[in-house]
Amino acid sequence: MLTLKCLNCGLTLLYEGSDADVCPRCLARSHRAVQLIPVSDQPSAPSSRSTIGRLSIQTSVRGDRHIMALNGELDLASAPMLEAAVAEACATGVGEVVLDMGRVEFIDSSGLNAIMRAKQLCELHECGYSLTPAQRPARGIFEAAGVIDRLPFADAPAPHDTAVR
């Protein structure tokens, strides 16, 4: 079944018959237009690689730790894909989400928002969340936005430490 989900408050609506594209609860309570994302209860395809625009996400799993290696540009076009990937991981009851930012070349404000919303989503689902440092050009956005101290950065995961899902 396909549903629409708010990553901010967790509200879920049936997709069919819904003409909403923003969360009515968030709009009513905090006067914020939070976009709903489509979520399916069907398992995703066996591929562990998602691609949109100039971003690809390779997911590896080790126990209840999901490592999402991002490669390319995290921007307006690709931010929803990252949010959906983290939402899917959280929905499965994952214990920790690690965003491997080592191959991210560019991040815009939409990408930064997606990273911050992913952090909130992990907190909501009581799972760990961390990022590995990004390349120099992309790393500057964290410093410029003043969020570098609000994000949990960790060392890059060792390649032998992961099993591709």
Side-chain angles (χ1 to χ4, degrees):
M1 173 187 300
L2 197 58
T3 57
L4 294 172
K5 183 162 182 131
C6 176
L7 294 178
N8 185 52
C9 72
L11 177 70
T12 302
L13 303 170
L14 289 177
Y15 183 80
E16 283 203 28
S18 175
D19 53 356
D21 60 346
V22 295
C23 177
R25 181 187 293 164
C26 290
L27 192 59
R29 288 184 181 169
S30 57
H31 305 293
R32 284 183 45 204
V34 178
Q35 186 172 359
L36 297 169
I37 63 164
V39 178
S40 173
D41 64 352
Q42 299 297 313
S44 60
S47 171
S48 64
R49 182 176 212 102
S50 301
T51 304
I52 192 166
R54 292 192 27 99
L55 180 77
S56 66
I57 301 174
Q58 176 81 34
T59 302
S60 346
V61 179
R62 168 94 184 197
D64 67 348
R65 182 182 198 204
H66 285 225
I67 300 166
M68 298 178 184
L70 283 61
N71 187 353
E73 299 178 359
L74 182 55
D75 57 15
L76 178 63
S78 58
M81 181 177 70
L82 174 61
E83 290 181 53
V86 173
E88 182 180 340
C90 287
T92 65
V94 65
E96 180 183 12
V97 171
V98 177
L99 298 184
D100 183 350
M101 307 288 290
R103 293 183 147 202
V104 175
E105 302 162 0
F106 172 81
I107 303 173
D108 70 3
S109 60
S110 299
L112 181 60
N113 269 334
I115 290 168
M116 298 303 287
R117 282 193 297 270
K119 179 180 183 270
Q120 291 174 335
L121 186 62
C122 287
E123 289 171 354
L124 181 69
H125 287 273
E126 299 178 353
C127 71
Y129 180 77
S130 62
L131 294 88
T132 65
Q135 294 180 30
R136 176 165 282 201
R139 185 177 35 210
I141 188 87
F142 298 114
E143 296 164 358
V147 299
I148 200 154
D149 294 331
R150 294 182 19 212
L151 290 168
F153 284 93
D155 293 331
H160 67 279
D161 218 18
T162 60
V164 174
R165 178 176 74 142

